[in-house]
Amino acid sequence: MKKEFICENITSNGDGHLCLGGQDVVTLAEKYGTPLYLMDEDRIRERINTFKGAVHNCLGDNGIIAYASKAASFKEMYRIMKSENVFIDVVSGGEIYTAANAGFPLEKALFHSNNKTDDDIAFAMDNGVGFFVVDNEEELFVIEREAGKRNITQKILLRITPGIDSHTFEAVSTGKVDSKFGSAIETGQAKAITKTALSRKNIALSGYHCHIGSQIFDTDVFCKAVRIMADFIADISNTIGYTPEILDMGGGFGVRYLPSEPIVDINKFISVIGENIKKVFKDLDIKLPTIIFEPGRSIVADAGMTVYTVGTVKKVPDFVNYVSVDGGMTDNVRYAMYKANYTLLVANKIDEICDMPASVVGRCCESGDIIQENVTVPASVKRGDIVACLTTGAYNYSMASNYNRIPRPPVVILNKGGSRIAVRRETFSDICSLDE
Ligand SMILES: *Cc1c(COP(=O)(O)O)cnc(C)c1O
């Protein structure tokens, strides 16, 4: 019987091994060592093209995809985005530097962050970042000053807080009125910052941005945000006489981490939102702006997998079984941070029955260093087995740390049956490289 896994790019072979993008994960673990991040490039490109096709279907040339690069940021990712001809989001000088180094054309970058430092702002301008997504007035004044010094007109979007709760994890919900991100419509700050932006000569206001949260499985939340943003735009148009060229609706499209979670059909999802946008703007008799979507997780999450080697297997009778792996919160902090779900499989025993409950834990000196609790593994699991944590393409490598001076794993990209190192494994000497 053909086994089914949570994503089409995951299969198993005749050796009872797990495969990603058709390649044997156990063989890859032998070749590159563990812990190891794998990234299926074919899947990344497929996802980008699904998004591109979906926006094109409903918005024609009026729709743009911008990859939110904080989800997975390293040079090869920016090269892939360049070759796919999409925009990117960046949130720091480091991401701008990485993208620039990879040859990404930064006029297609949107620079986010609720607290851009003066240095960040200057650096972004010197690198020709296309759009600043301005969070607050304080930042606007620094951008005006720096643009003035350079005698340029900087294009911006204003980040607006629509005042809705996306009902996801508290830590990743960003659309509520008391969010640390953006200027709220409800408090009058969104209108005030619009007036300020329009009055500055070195600033060109291109439009508005909102981002309501992450892991959203319901188009209603987006449609609610569209309605609020469109009403706001209508109000601005009526009172100030300004209409935006661009409306950026952010990212946050849900990704399946467990078999029990739904699959978001991006074509349908974008179509519902896109048709809704067209209708709402038509009803309000406002010219349809260019619409940007900013998927991060949903481009890269299920292209990724983390591969570990099992070390100690510890059974605490009547309590819990611990399966320790050679990574942990240093390469995947998401369970420790907000109890994120993951599917784990013993990659070299894919045909064995999983009947032993276990907690898969890392090697860090921290009880909270857990990859996942309450999973089941084959009872035969032992030292030397290979464990795969699925769907780790987003917010894993990009959140990795050197806690306990543990070197970060390499990122190996799989493409059409081949593999290549995109980020090499950190060495002990890399870890000491900044120490005096
Ligand atoms: C993080 C972020 C995104 C991407 O969110 P995902 O959940 O990864 O799709 C998009 N836009 C902004 C402004 C963000 O901060």
Side-chain angles (χ1 to χ4, degrees):
M1 199 179 76
K2 194 163 169 277
K3 275 180 120 67
E4 287 219 358
F5 298 95
I6 56 172
C7 183
E8 307 139 46
N9 62 340
I10 299 171
T11 51
S12 61
N13 65 19
D15 295 333
H17 292 178
L18 188 68
C19 298
L20 178 65
Q23 300 191 47
D24 187 317
V25 167
V26 179
T27 308
L28 289 162
E30 277 163 16
K31 178 167 181 190
Y32 293 103
T34 60
L36 169 66
Y37 292 117
L38 298 174
M39 278 287 223
D40 176 359
E41 181 179 351
D42 301 331
R43 176 70 181 170
I44 294 171
R45 290 186 187 271
E46 180 190 318
R47 295 295 286 172
I48 294 169
N49 283 298
T50 300
F51 270 101
K52 285 204 292 200
V55 292
H56 195 265
N57 278 346
C58 58
L59 296 162
D61 293 335
N62 250 339
I64 290 176
I65 295 300
Y67 165 61
S69 73
K70 69 177 194 278
S73 173
F74 47 87
K75 281 160 69 172
E76 198 63 6
M77 282 302 298
Y78 294 108
R79 291 188 196 113
I80 292 171
M81 297 308 147
K82 181 185 174 185
S83 84
E84 292 293 345
N85 202 22
V86 290
F87 279 57
I88 54 166
D89 280 4
V90 289
V91 296
S92 72
E95 286 184 0
I96 292 167
Y97 179 84
T98 309
N101 242 268
F104 188 88
L106 284 168
E107 69 272 11
K108 288 178 137 184
L110 298 138
F111 183 19
H112 290 273
S113 164
N114 68 305
N115 181 19
K116 302 174 185 71
T117 66
D118 290 15
D119 285 349
D120 284 341
I121 290 169
F123 186 70
M125 263 179 214
D126 289 340
N127 279 282
V129 165
F131 296 88
F132 282 59
V133 183
V134 175
D135 188 272
N136 54 71
E137 286 209 340
E138 218 177 286
E139 179 187 322
L140 190 65
F141 297 138
V142 182
I143 294 169
E144 164 76 358
R145 185 189 74 209
E146 293 300 315
K149 271 193 217 165
R150 290 163 179 78
N151 209 8
I152 59 165
T153 307
Q154 179 60 56
K155 283 186 285 188
I156 67 159
L157 302 179
L158 293 173
R159 178 160 185 164
I160 304 300
T161 316
I164 49 175
D165 186 352
S166 62
H167 298 293
T168 55
F169 306 116
E170 190 61 24
V172 292
S173 169
T174 54
K176 283 158 57 175
V177 66
D178 57 353
S179 164
K180 80 164 180 172
F181 295 101
S183 305
I185 297 173
E186 210 172 310
T187 59
Q189 284 160 309
K191 190 183 241 178
I193 195 170
T194 301
K195 287 184 187 158
T196 311
L198 289 169
S199 71
R200 305 285 142 159
K201 78 176 197 318
N202 292 96
I203 283 176
L205 179 60
S206 300
Y208 295 109
H209 168 275
C210 71
H211 172 71
I212 44 184
S214 205
Q215 277 296 72
I216 301 168
F217 287 91
D218 185 352
T219 51
D220 284 356
V221 188
F222 271 98
C223 291
K224 228 190 248 170
V226 166
R227 182 78 233 182
I228 293 168
M229 292 301 287
D231 285 340
F232 169 69
I233 288 168
D235 176 44
I236 292 293
S237 170
N238 292 334
T239 55
I240 306 179
Y242 169 75
T243 43
E245 289 151 45
I246 296 173
L247 172 60
D248 184 336
M249 290 304 300
F253 306 97
V255 163
R256 186 191 204 194
Y257 285 90
L258 299 176
S260 57
E261 291 167 344
I263 296 177
V264 171
D265 179 337
I266 290 303
N267 264 311
K268 272 202 207 132
F269 208 86
I270 293 284
S271 158
V272 169
I273 302 165
E275 294 304 327
N276 179 257
I277 291 173
K278 285 197 284 194
K279 181 175 183 306
V280 168
F281 277 81
K282 189 156 181 279
D283 290 350
L284 288 168
D285 198 21
I286 305 169
K287 184 177 168 285
L288 186 68
T290 294
I291 304 296
I292 302 180
F293 290 107
E294 305 178 314
R297 185 194 310 274
S298 50
I299 299 278
V300 287
D302 60 25
M305 180 185 286
T306 310
V307 187
Y308 304 103
T309 301
V310 173
T312 303
V313 177
K314 184 184 288 182
K315 297 179 180 171
V316 187
D318 300 329
F319 286 96
V320 63
N321 304 313
Y322 286 111
V323 175
S324 308
V325 295
D326 55 354
M329 64 189 287
T330 43
D331 60 76
N332 185 353
V333 74
R334 294 187 67 252
Y335 190 83
M337 202 157 66
Y338 36 62
K339 291 227 166 353
N341 292 324
Y342 283 102
T343 298
L344 285 117
L345 297 168
V346 178
N348 58 318
K349 295 180 170 172
I350 238 33
D351 295 333
E352 288 187 27
I353 291 165
C354 296
D355 51 2
M356 184 175 100
S359 284
V360 177
V361 298
R363 58 185 295 202
C364 300
C365 296
E366 183 70 58
S367 301
D369 172 28
I370 298 167
I371 303 284
Q372 200 71 190
E373 291 173 290
N374 303 316
V375 298
T376 52
V377 294
S380 70
V381 68
K382 65 173 198 315
R383 196 175 192 88
D385 281 346
I386 301 295
V387 164
C389 183
L390 313 191
T391 330
T392 59
Y395 306 109
N396 278 240
Y397 172 72
S398 60
M399 287 186 175
S401 77
N402 288 127
Y403 180 52
N404 291 174
R405 296 237 131 179
I406 293 172
R408 278 174 291 190
V411 181
V412 166
I413 296 215
L414 309 182
N415 171 288
K416 296 191 179 13
S419 61
R420 66 182 191 278
I421 293 173
V423 182
R424 69 165 168 79
R425 184 180 297 284
E426 245 172 358
T427 63
F428 292 145
S429 94
D430 287 331
I431 285 190
C432 271
S433 65
L434 303 177
D435 298 11
E436 299 294 352

